[in-house]
Amino acid sequence: MGFIQKTVRIWQRISLILFILISEISGADNIPNFDLSGDTKLFSISSLYWEDTSKIATPSEAKVQLGDGELINNNFTVPVTDASYWFAFTLTNLADHALSKSVYLDKPYLNKVNLHYQQQGKWVSELNGTDIALNKRKVRNLLPIFIVSLGAHESRTFYVEAHSKIKLLQFNFNIDESDNSRSIGEIHTTIVKMYIGAGLLVTLINALMCLFFRDRVYIYYSAFTFSFIFATFAINSFDLFLNVQFQNRNLFLLSYLSVLFFLSLFIGEVLQTNKNMPWIEGALKISRLILVTIGIMTTFNESHVSYVLVSTIPASMLFLPILVVANRQGAPYAKTLMVGVMLLISGAMTTVLVNLGVLPKNEVTVHAILIGSIAEMVIFSVTLFRRVIDSNTEAKSALSDMAEHSSTKLENTVIARTRELNQAKQAAEQANENRRDFFSNINHEMRTPLNGILGIIGVIGQQDEKTVSVQHFKTLKIASHQLSNLVSNVLDHSRLSSNAALEIQSIHFNILDIVNELEDMFYNMADDKGLSLSFHVQGDLMLDRYGDYGKLRQILINIMGNAIKFTHSGQVGLTVLQGSSEGELMFSITDTGDGIEEAHIERIYTAYHQVPGNNSFQKTGSGLGLSISKALTMVMGGTLNVKSNINRGTQFDCVLPLKPVIVSHKKM
């Protein structure tokens, strides 16, 4: 048994060795090889690529995996995935003497760039990246640079382990003479330093302008320029010059969001969009809200920084249509602001196209974003200078116009006050006229039922037998109901006019009770006019309800009374239906009367208002019925709607919340 176990272990080791040897042979064939000589000039190199999601792979493990790696030509775009990225390439010295070359990445933002290679059977590793201070690097340069030495006719494969917390940006590997190692990227560093210096100068000038003019626009512009400078400082790893290694540069890239945020505030303040163009102000506010949301997301989840970089240029482009529309509307300074934004976007797009290989790479195209930003700062500064000049001109013009307009202003004030007095006088006269009409109508309305009651009392008093006939009782009943309803309307109108609250007095009642009461009340009135009076209750309706019976009764009396009053022939009907929910009822009152013109529909709920017409009924009534009904419906939490057609009739739909009540009947 022990012999078998030992045999298995031996074969396992042999298999592993064979696998590594086979992988090395096949991998060596796939790894790009570059021949070097003494006069080799600067050039970019390709490599095999493998993504290590565990981020703990050793050079030996990476060597095996890279045998089947993906070929990367020139620019490599950092994926969004959180992983370590391994690259492999081979350098061969064709010369008869030893060579020393510089191998470097052309971007400084990667936090880890380690070079691994085998020498005499052992792995040798050199560390670089933003995690390594400048004074601890073999070459004092912001770029990750390695000096590689090859003996005569020696060929060696190098494995580069890279990790970047900033995603979606590009870099590539380059080879140059080792003597140039300290000066590699020196032009770029100088240009960035000049840009930062110019930007700080503009920021300082605008800060002083803010102190002098007390204008928020200078605060916004200073914050805008400083944000751009800070973003440039972070992306180029200039913190290394301060002997400080920030472990995470993601949050520094939030300054790109603040660039757009303060640009939005700056554009809005210069164009005065909150006063002159409210819809543009709304669009700018929405853009700021989106930027703040992305910033908060990035603060709690650093993976969103990648999308910050991707969305910066499209978000900048959103300002262009806003400025184009503002320019067409004649907004001052919109054209110059538009030119500045276009220069900034053009520079950014040029840099992107260079990274994609669409445009050739040179010092101008590589630094197009900085050039565009400087041009934009100049344009915006000119805009602010023009704004100061225009403000002074407007101030002088305002002083000269003040004396000229003083007399006309006084005259206009007098005219306006006179017009207001005339309007107030007309309103008072109209109110008095409405009041006279009201008292005239109320006098007539009260006299009619009172005369009926007094007349019947007199007739009964003259009879020998003090009995009330059916006709007399009918007259008394109609007159009493008319008088009671009129008094209720006047009292409710008085409460509403004095802003007194109407109390809800809810009781249990049965729908059939109020339907029967309305039928008794209006049957004789309809019969006298030859009208057909109909009442219908939905068959499956729960009849026991809980609500303010008195106010419901008053609403229905007012509407049905009007329906009978203004209907000369045909019919008047009341239908009780289930509403949209179990606790809601709809009372629909229909008639075949004259109808209401559309122009008067909105005014029928106004107190004292009566629809004009030629028949004798148009000027009767207090003009309070529908106004009170509308108010009572709202107090009860319902709605009152009307539909009408001229000469075809009118329909009022009153929807009220009336809770159903389950009544239990006990056995006797």
Side-chain angles (χ1 to χ4, degrees), residues 615-628:
N615 63 69
S616 59
F617 292 101
Q618 295 291 18
K619 290 300 181 182
T620 62
S622 63
L624 296 177
L626 290 179
S627 173
I628 295 298

Side-chain angles (χ1 to χ4, degrees), residues 312-493:
T312 298
I313 295 178
S316 302
M317 291 182 177
L318 293 178
F319 293 116
L320 278 181
I322 292 176
L323 292 171
V324 169
V325 173
N327 182 52
R328 289 182 177 178
Q329 293 183 358
Y333 319 117
K335 182 178 291 186
T336 53
L337 290 177
M338 183 171 59
V339 172
V341 172
M342 289 179 64
L343 289 172
L344 178 62
I345 295 175
S346 298
M349 287 299 300
T350 301
T351 302
V352 171
L353 294 175
V354 169
N355 290 333
L356 295 176
V358 177
L359 294 179
K361 182 182 294 187
N362 54 54
E363 295 301 334
V364 175
T365 56
V366 168
H367 299 96
I369 179 64
L370 300 182
I371 297 173
S373 176
I374 286 292
E376 168 268 330
M377 289 183 185
V378 173
I379 295 295
F380 282 6
S381 298
V382 170
T383 302
L384 291 178
F385 183 71
R386 283 182 52 193
R387 190 169 180 267
V388 171
I389 295 176
D390 293 344
S391 298
N392 292 334
T393 304
E394 290 175 1
K396 293 178 181 178
S397 178
L399 290 174
S400 62
D401 292 342
M402 189 178 297
E404 181 180 350
H405 292 303
S406 59
S407 59
T408 56
K409 183 178 179 181
L410 179 60
E411 182 180 351
N412 291 335
T413 302
V414 172
I415 293 174
R417 295 294 180 270
T418 304
R419 188 183 300 112
E420 292 173 0
L421 290 174
N422 289 333
Q423 292 174 350
K425 179 182 177 183
Q426 292 175 2
E429 291 175 351
Q430 183 64 42
N432 288 332
E433 183 179 351
N434 292 338
R435 194 175 292 108
R436 284 195 301 269
D437 292 342
F438 170 72
F439 284 115
S440 175
N441 291 335
I442 205 70
N443 181 43
H444 171 75
E445 290 292 313
M446 295 184 70
R447 282 177 181 273
T448 300
L450 283 174
N451 287 338
I453 295 171
L454 293 174
I456 295 302
I457 292 173
V459 171
I460 295 173
Q462 293 174 2
Q463 291 179 350
D464 294 334
E465 295 182 2
K466 302 299 188 284
T467 59
V468 180
S469 66
V470 175
Q471 183 63 33
H472 292 161
F473 180 77
K474 180 178 75 171
T475 304
L476 282 173
K477 186 175 182 180
I478 293 174
S480 299
H481 283 310
Q482 288 177 343
L483 186 59
S484 174
N485 191 49
L486 181 63
V487 171
S488 297
N489 285 340
V490 172
L491 291 176
D492 285 340
H493 177 68

